[in-house]
Amino acid sequence: MKRSAILLFLFLFISLGVVFSADYLIVARGQGPASADLEDLVAYAGGTILAKMPKVGLVYAASSSPDFLAVVRADRRVLEAAEDIEVQWLPDVRPALAGEAEPGALGLNSEPYWGYQWNIRQIRADQTAANGDLGWGVKRARVAVLDSGLWVNHPDLAGNVNLELARSFVPGEPGINPIVYGFNHGTHVAGIIAAPVNNRGIQGVAPGAEIVAVKVLRSDTGSGAFSWIIQGILYAASIRSDVINMSLGATFDRINAGGGGTGPLIAALNRAIAYATAAGTLCVASAGNEGVDLDSRIWTIPAQSGNGMAVAATGPFGLQDFDRPASYTNYGLSVVNVTAPGGDYVYPGSTYVYDMVLSPAGFTGSAWQYFFAAGTSMAAPHVAGVAALIVGKYGTMQPAQLKALIEQSADDILKPGADPYSGRGRINAVRALERR
């Protein structure tokens, strides 16, 4: 655009008094039925309520008034409030399209890509499947995947997807399917959890578990607002999900977070996860891919929100040393609960992709696709899958009990005892089902 055109646009913009509306999250002082009854305040401040979340004392509102925040914050019923910013939640997982399964890749499992699934063998989920533990026994475990949607008709996943319960909280994307062809992060995550044993593709950790896709991020960019994720968490809890998987994360400087305006948003997210946990849902989150020490001023959410599980990643180097910490994984003794296969991409040469995790993930418009990818995004669904196996075998249990079973059954892979990179250890599906 030429300089003259830009100046003309600015002149018209100012002269016409055009004002853009912004969205806000209001955190009430209390929680419960009356906590979100702030219609009078929001209207007085020049805003409109978009959603009320009384169970956690939150109100989602919009306003074009420059004084909206100041007026709202001054009310004694309000603890804090902030503009509901949209941030990038999905990391770079470096997806690589998988070709046809090679004859040498065939193994004991009937799935064509089985030979590439070092991750399933590493946590012994091949043995739990062979034993008939699929996440559907005493009850069928329900796992809500909060992500960027799902290719709901992918033939290596569709049978385990509950379309009736699927929801989108992303404005402009009412459907669950992505709006762009190719790799989809949420589909890859869901496949790791529950791809069925059906003689095609791969095996998931819990091949009989039910997947509920909850779209909280834009499928083309991986970005999203705090309110979308919070509404997704509350919805997943309301439909009695046994597990919520959040292979997503945003990193902040905890010292400057409040000054940067994110403090109230982080507080709101904490409330949502605490509520879901109290409602009986285990929240599993990826620890993040920045390779940073979380026992520091760095804060990553939702891994450090509420009292769920934070999962670090392991990844081999040239298909050797499968329990080595992945090159990118975040770590921290006070944060990481367990570790799980996330894959890695540091091995030189064309075969580096085999160090990554394979899962159904794409659609081109004419063909269904499988992708290799690596990240703590891939590690977290292994934990969600093991949780689903436990629920499937023994029935509903409290998140604290489920969390304890996963931690206590993990293999101590690094130095004796808990450590910053693996927490209580690398998960073990067989041992997790040996209820003590």
Side-chain angles (χ1 to χ4, degrees):
M1 184 181 293
K2 293 183 178 179
R3 184 172 180 271
S4 58
I6 295 174
L7 291 174
L8 177 61
F9 172 80
L10 290 174
F11 172 78
L12 291 173
F13 177 81
I14 295 171
S15 63
L16 293 175
V18 178
V19 179
F20 289 112
S21 177
D23 295 341
Y24 300 89
L25 270 175
I26 304 170
V27 183
R29 289 194 178 277
Q31 300 179 53
S35 64
D37 292 339
L38 301 177
E39 286 90 350
D40 59 332
L41 171 62
V42 172
Y44 175 71
T48 304
I49 290 180
L50 302 177
K52 295 169 63 174
M53 296 165 267
K55 293 177 180 178
V56 288
L58 299 176
V59 171
Y60 178 35
S63 176
S64 57
S65 170
D67 300 321
F68 181 80
L69 268 183
V71 174
V72 167
R73 285 172 174 166
D75 193 281
R76 60 182 178 80
R77 293 169 291 177
V78 174
L79 180 63
E80 47 191 348
E83 184 175 347
D84 183 27
I85 59 174
E86 187 172 331
V87 300
Q88 186 69 34
W89 295 90
L90 293 188
D92 176 18
V93 295
R94 305 193 185 187
L97 181 65
E100 293 295 324
E102 300 173 4
L106 298 176
L108 297 177
N109 189 290
S110 62
E111 305 301 276
Y113 285 117
W114 172 246
Y116 300 122
Q117 290 199 270
W118 60 270
N119 55 307
I120 295 295
R121 294 187 288 275
Q122 192 67 9
I123 68 168
R124 301 178 68 188
D126 56 332
Q127 296 179 43
T128 52
N131 293 339
D133 292 309
L134 307 174
W136 192 353
V138 171
K139 69 164 291 186
R140 189 178 193 186
R142 174 174 291 168
V143 182
V145 176
L146 272 61
D147 215 292
S148 56
L150 195 76
W151 287 115
V152 297
N153 293 319
H154 197 295
D156 206 14
L157 190 57
N160 287 338
V161 176
N162 187 323
L163 288 175
E164 183 178 350
L165 293 179
R167 291 289 185 278
S168 173
F169 293 92
V170 178
E173 288 193 44
I176 299 302
N177 279 315
I179 62 173
V180 291
Y181 286 137
F183 176 82
N184 173 255
H185 189 274
T187 310
H188 197 279
V189 167
I192 294 170
I193 298 170
V197 176
N198 57 359
N199 298 315
R200 64 182 305 163
I202 68 158
Q203 175 207 314
V205 177
E210 178 186 85
I211 295 293
V212 176
V214 183
K215 185 187 281 189
V216 296
L217 304 176
R218 298 190 189 280
S219 58
D220 56 345
T221 65
S223 63
F226 277 76
S227 62
W228 308 349
I229 295 173
I230 290 168
Q231 290 178 89
I233 292 170
L234 297 179
Y235 173 71
S238 75
I239 59 172
R240 301 183 183 276
S241 300
D242 297 293
V243 187
I244 291 174
N245 187 92
M246 291 180 283
S247 288
L248 51 88
T251 302
F252 300 88
D253 183 322
R254 74 173 72 206
I255 295 177
N256 296 328
T262 57
L265 304 178
I266 294 173
L269 183 61
N270 285 340
R271 281 194 181 187
I273 291 179
Y275 173 82
T277 303
T281 300
L282 177 66
C283 296
V284 177
S286 52
N289 295 4
E290 292 85 8
V292 298
D293 183 358
L294 299 176
D295 288 326
S296 66
R297 61 187 287 174
I298 302 301
W299 183 271
T300 188
I301 56 173
Q304 289 175 269
S305 303
N307 48 0
M309 296 192 74
V311 186
T314 60
F317 183 88
L319 288 178
Q320 298 181 44
D321 191 10
F322 294 95
D323 278 336
R324 62 182 284 278
S327 61
Y328 52 79
T329 189
N330 287 349
Y331 57 95
L333 186 60
S334 68
V335 178
V336 173
N337 295 102
V338 291
T339 192
D344 217 332
Y345 35 64
V346 296
Y347 185 69
S350 60
T351 60
Y352 80 98
V353 295
Y354 302 139
D355 288 341
M356 301 164 83
V357 176
L358 182 65
S359 185
F363 181 57
T364 63
S366 61
W368 299 104
Q369 300 168 315
Y370 293 78
F371 281 84
F372 291 95
T376 55
S377 285
M378 284 65 250
H382 287 84
V383 176
V386 170
L389 290 177
I390 297 171
V391 170
K393 184 169 184 176
Y394 296 112
T396 303
M397 61 181 66
Q398 288 301 308
Q401 184 181 7
L402 195 53
K403 180 178 178 179
L405 283 173
I406 295 171
E407 290 180 339
Q408 293 166 6
S409 61
D411 290 334
D412 195 355
I413 59 171
L414 301 177
K415 69 178 185 179
D419 66 83
Y421 281 94
S422 70
R424 296 291 297 275
R426 189 252 307 125
I427 58 171
N428 183 320
V430 170
R431 291 184 61 198
L433 296 184
E434 296 171 352
R435 193 172 186 181
R436 292 164 176 77

